[in-house]
Amino acid sequence: MIRKRQAVRADQVPVKGLRNGSSSVAERIGGISWAHFVNDGAANFLPGVLPVILVELNFSAGLAGSIMAALLIGQGLQPFIGLLADRIGGRSLMIAGIVGTAFGAALVALAQSVLVLVIALLIIGVFNAVFHPQMLAATRQIAAKRAAGAMSVVLVGGEIGRGVWPALASAILVAFGRESLVVLAAPGVMTALLLLRWAPKLEPQRKATRIDWRTHAGPLGALVAFCALRALVNFVLITFLPLVWHQHGGNMTTGASLITVLYVVGVVGNLGGGWLGDRIGRRALLVTSMLVLLIATALIPLISGIAFWLAIAIAGVCLFATLPLTVLIGQDFVPEARAFGSGIALGMANAIGALGLLIVSPLADMFSVETPMWIACGAAAIALVLALSMPLPSHLRDNPAS
């Protein structure tokens, strides 16, 4: 008896390097989320110890943005590394990225001069950019049609890492001294070995990727502008919240905890953003998030007590509610080079946001340390306008059911 062959859907085709079965997929998504936690934690613990470093190296608060910009500017390489990732496939860039980030983190701990510190931060920025494009493309490949949920889980790992590590670094520094921060490099090195099990080998694109710029330039420009303004608000908050707290007599560990609240509570936005977008519409999610972010950011310099912490938490939720959606939009705007698309949505936008931080930071010396916070309010207002007019891919339009 001859049995008819059943048609196999694209999302049922086994991914290269994966065993069949949902537990295998869940394990790998969880593993990549952990790698994102480790990588982004090692790349972003600086704000938690920045007040001490400024004192040790005789830096003013206005130069804090310059230091942070050195850390963040390398993310502008992500789109181009994304093109390379699409070309060569595999998982080598992801592994090299997490190891390089760990090395840069160790160098920050040992830096005794401004030059060495800046070099260390540039190393972190470059290798952080190397890590992300293959990581995001691998997540989408593993999850197939459940990409939105998987992307949220993986991005949550990074957000928690960015939130937890500044407080962890601050506690280690206070207890054991800055050189002891070198231990923060160890998890990255160990996780790199586990990525050989978790990360799929992405198929290389044999032909050079040709991007239809005539079609993509306008939508990508609007997306990058929106994400860059969102990034600027983020960078201003993580750079100047601990400094404002420290300048008003607060201790460094509690100041670092402000970042923890911003990012860890922001996980609610990361996890709930996709779910909420499916129900109220994607554009409604973009607009609502930016409106509430504008209000929360404006209130932070004006309030105190529980309301102050609550405003920071709300800002975190709004900052990250749109993050998984904008990564997927970037990939869908450039379907012929998805690693490049996600690199545009995250890396290029973050680099532009870092340049904005570099421009805004001197205002802290010229006026007050709270001044950049008001600039962040203006950035959130412009992002709100862009959210109202941004073109969306056909399957991400306003219809909640789409």
Side-chain angles (χ1 to χ4, degrees):
M1 181 176 180
I2 300 175
R3 295 182 179 178
K4 294 182 180 180
R5 297 181 62 186
Q6 293 182 338
V8 179
R9 298 197 313 267
D11 62 313
Q12 292 177 325
V13 177
V15 178
K16 186 178 181 181
L18 293 181
R19 301 189 309 271
N20 290 327
S22 59
S23 62
S24 176
V25 172
E27 175 191 346
R28 283 165 167 80
I29 291 296
I32 292 178
S33 183
W34 166 259
H36 198 196
F37 168 86
V38 169
N39 179 83
D40 281 25
N44 293 281
F45 69 82
L46 179 64
V49 297
L50 191 54
V52 168
I53 290 178
L54 291 176
V55 171
E56 287 184 0
L57 300 180
N58 252 342
F59 269 31
S60 68
L63 290 174
S66 302
I67 296 176
M68 288 296 293
L71 173 65
L72 299 166
I73 201 70
Q75 295 191 40
L77 296 173
Q78 273 198 45
F80 311 104
I81 294 171
L83 287 175
L84 177 62
D86 287 328
R87 177 73 171 162
I88 67 175
R91 55 196 172 195
S92 58
L93 294 181
M94 197 188 324
I95 294 171
I98 197 170
V99 172
T101 300
F103 172 75
L107 198 55
V108 168
L110 302 175
Q112 297 299 321
S113 69
V114 173
L115 177 61
V116 175
L117 176 63
V118 169
I119 291 173
L121 296 177
L122 289 172
I123 289 172
I124 290 175
V126 169
F127 280 97
N128 194 30
V130 169
F131 171 80
H132 279 87
Q134 275 191 345
M135 181 271 294
L136 294 169
T139 299
R140 186 158 189 159
Q141 179 169 317
I142 293 170
K145 287 190 174 182
R146 297 183 179 179
M151 194 70 72
S152 292
V153 170
V154 169
L155 290 175
V156 160
E159 305 312 332
I160 295 177
R162 282 191 286 272
V164 169
W165 284 55
L168 177 63
S170 176
I172 292 173
L173 185 148
V174 169
F176 305 106
R178 182 151 69 94
E179 292 78 7
S180 62
L181 293 175
V182 72
V183 302
L184 297 179
V189 175
M190 292 185 289
T191 300
L193 299 174
L194 293 172
L195 281 174
L196 295 172
R197 170 181 173 83
W198 292 330
K201 294 181 179 179
L202 300 171
E203 291 291 342
Q205 294 185 358
R206 301 302 180 186
K207 296 181 180 180
T209 302
R210 294 181 180 179
I211 298 175
D212 185 0
W213 289 110
R214 186 175 301 178
T215 301
H216 301 322
L220 279 177
L223 178 65
V224 169
F226 174 85
C227 294
L229 290 164
R230 182 184 62 193
L232 177 59
V233 177
N234 179 21
F235 297 157
V236 167
L237 291 177
I238 65 173
T239 301
F240 288 98
L241 274 176
L243 296 178
V244 170
W245 184 267
H246 191 67
Q247 195 170 86
H248 285 81
N251 65 66
M252 188 181 67
T253 302
T254 305
S257 299
L258 299 174
I259 303 171
T260 301
V261 170
L262 183 75
Y263 279 111
V264 174
V265 178
V267 166
V268 175
N270 237 326
L271 290 175
W275 178 86
L276 190 60
D278 287 338
R279 281 151 182 80
I280 69 172
R282 274 70 174 194
R283 190 179 307 280
L285 175 64
L286 295 177
V287 171
T288 304
S289 296
M290 290 304 104
L291 177 60
V292 179
L293 175 63
L294 170 60
I295 295 170
T297 306
L299 288 175
I300 286 171
L302 302 176
I303 56 181
S304 59
I306 295 176
F308 173 75
W309 291 85
L310 181 61
I312 293 172
I314 292 172
V317 171
C318 295
L319 275 171
F320 303 118
T322 61
L323 190 58
L325 178 59
T326 51
V327 169
L328 292 172
I329 291 172
Q331 292 179 343
D332 289 333
F333 275 158
V334 196
E336 65 269 32
R338 282 177 169 166
F340 176 82
S342 58
I344 281 281
L346 279 182
M348 181 65 74
N350 284 347
I352 295 172
L355 288 174
L357 178 64
L358 189 62
I359 296 169
V360 166
S361 292
L363 298 176
D365 285 337
M366 295 171 61
F367 300 102
S368 73
V369 75
E370 288 90 356
T371 301
M373 306 283 289
W374 295 113
I375 302 296
C377 292
I382 299 172
L384 173 60
V385 173
L386 285 172
L388 287 166
S389 58
M390 185 188 303
L392 295 177
S394 58
H395 62 291
L396 293 177
R397 294 278 167 82
D398 296 284
N399 182 5
S402 63

